[in-house]
Amino acid sequence: SGGAGAGGAGTGVAGSGAGPAWLRVEGNRILVGRQPFHGRGANLQDTRGCGACYWAPPSVAEVKRRIDELVDRWGATFIRLTLESRATLDAGMVHGLGVLADDAYLRDVQAIVDHVGTKPGVYVLVSLWNDDTFTSLGWATPSTLDEWRKLASALKDRPQVLFGIVNEPQSNFDGARDADVWRTMNDAVAAIRAVEDAAGTPHHVISVQGTRAWARRLDYYVGHPITAGGGDNIAYETHVYDPPAMFGELFETPARSLPVLIGEFGPSGMTEADTTTLMERAEAIGVPYLAWTFHMRCPPNLLVDNSGNGCGIDMALAPTSWGMRLRARLLTPW
């Protein structure tokens, strides 16, 4: 595999001066160049700030400041940028519509992604997170696909980008609707690939989320990998808020045959000590991971709330106990 995403004109090695390398999937690995992608870092909210920032003008500068902190001082090489939007705004909100309705927001997303692109060897998973186009169970709809067409067009030439289709397909605990969730994911991949192919740009790595239990379970994909676009450059994303006894079935076993990434984890449903175990075990099998979350009021929080219950612009970015644990790990070579 690898296909169109395996390289392309102008592809360089991250930090070489030729620009970041395009990621690609080969077998059960995400690769950068010929090396395994050792991406690790945290989730980061967009200008909407996990609901904290709707009532003030959007601040791209604040998101960039947090990227600088997370990368330059915490050692992150991977960021999940969570895109948040609403279909309508409440009284007093000055922004919050999605990319289909708000071109300024789309430009802000581009600016944030481009700032990540200034960091050698750092990649960003652009994910639709809190989005009113999703179904009540967190699945993509035709309107979600329209958002992905617009985002894919706007970011088609950014090699530092991965795309995350939705946040968390919910419930479906018995897996009875796995095939239905799979179909929505496959349709979304097809929509993105059509944009890339029409533009003649490489295939970005697309992350599809677990089919059930709030994105936890990847079982169905083991026997039914995504087929759209030839199944090229697809990663499979799980969210782990569970003790170590669950790690085998949630990410270690699927990772034997699928390129897996952990899109969220943190001390909720698991202890802080468990998060260290997760990071150790993920690194041992080459699975990238992203902690939840580089925020002060979107728990489990990596940052102390120094915002005065506000948006947090220019607040001191002090780590919580969870934040200190993650930072120590990110500053330890992998």
Side-chain angles (χ1 to χ4, degrees):
S1 59
T11 300
V13 176
S16 71
W22 289 85
L23 295 178
R24 62 189 177 91
V25 165
E26 187 174 299
N28 65 336
R29 288 284 183 267
I30 304 171
L31 302 178
V32 54
R34 298 187 178 187
Q35 300 301 315
F37 173 53
H38 284 179
R40 55 183 183 170
N43 284 258
L44 176 71
Q45 282 60 50
D46 66 5
T47 53
R48 282 75 195 268
C50 194
C53 299
Y54 286 121
W55 293 270
S59 176
V60 171
E62 176 60 25
V63 182
K64 290 180 178 180
R65 183 177 78 99
R66 295 186 184 209
I67 291 168
D68 291 345
E69 179 74 15
L70 185 54
V71 173
D72 300 344
R73 285 172 281 281
W74 287 44
T77 57
F78 196 18
I79 294 168
R80 179 174 179 239
L81 179 67
T82 58
L83 304 190
E84 177 180 357
S85 63
R86 304 164 56 100
T88 58
L89 302 184
D90 295 341
M93 290 182 174
V94 297
H95 63 114
L97 300 179
V99 296
L100 296 176
D102 187 346
D103 284 338
Y105 175 52
L106 182 64
R107 291 192 294 271
D108 287 349
V109 172
Q110 288 176 303
I112 292 164
V113 165
D114 287 346
H115 188 66
V116 174
T118 68
K119 309 289 185 181
V122 180
Y123 291 81
V124 56
L125 174 60
V126 175
S127 294
L128 293 181
W129 175 62
N130 194 341
D131 191 300
D132 275 359
T133 70
F134 297 163
T135 71
S136 61
L137 288 177
W139 304 1
T141 66
S143 293
T144 311
L145 271 56
D146 287 340
E147 289 187 313
W148 274 117
R149 291 182 184 100
K150 193 158 188 176
L151 283 164
S153 180
L155 301 173
K156 61 184 181 294
D157 55 355
R158 273 73 164 184
Q160 71 270 28
V161 172
L162 305 81
F163 296 134
I165 300 299
V166 295
N167 181 41
E168 292 178 338
Q170 301 170 17
S171 300
N172 182 35
F173 293 106
D174 61 0
R177 302 198 69 184
D178 281 353
D180 297 326
V181 181
W182 181 95
R183 194 171 301 110
T184 67
M185 296 291 188
N186 203 60
D187 288 348
V189 171
I192 292 170
R193 294 297 185 234
V195 171
E196 295 170 330
D197 291 345
T201 53
H203 286 176
H204 292 80
V205 170
I206 300 175
S207 179
V208 299
Q209 292 65 43
T211 56
R212 50 191 164 109
W214 281 260
R216 277 174 171 78
R217 304 305 300 240
L218 299 176
D219 315 43
Y220 189 77
Y221 294 122
V222 172
H224 305 85
I226 292 295
T227 58
D232 178 47
N233 283 356
I234 303 298
Y236 298 86
E237 178 181 336
T238 180
H239 295 179
V240 182
Y241 294 96
D242 304 87
M246 296 291 292
F247 293 174
E249 57 192 283
L250 293 183
F251 67 90
E252 289 172 320
T253 298
R256 293 174 188 164
S257 55
L258 298 175
V260 170
L261 66 85
I262 297 169
E264 293 185 18
F265 73 101
S268 175
M270 62 197 306
T271 67
E272 281 194 21
D274 291 342
T275 67
T276 294
T277 303
L278 181 148
M279 291 185 281
E280 291 171 347
R281 286 169 61 171
E283 290 176 14
I285 59 172
V287 169
Y289 58 81
L290 294 151
W292 190 268
T293 186
F294 206 66
H295 199 275
M296 66 286 180
R297 229 167 33 255
C298 201
N301 302 305
L302 292 161
L303 297 176
V304 174
D305 191 355
N306 292 315
S307 72
N309 206 39
C311 177
I313 292 175
D314 293 330
M315 78 171 196
L317 300 177
T320 59
S321 173
W322 164 219
M324 287 187 280
R325 184 178 292 264
L326 176 72
R327 184 177 63 182
R329 188 75 193 184
L330 298 182
L331 292 172
T332 302
W334 175 12

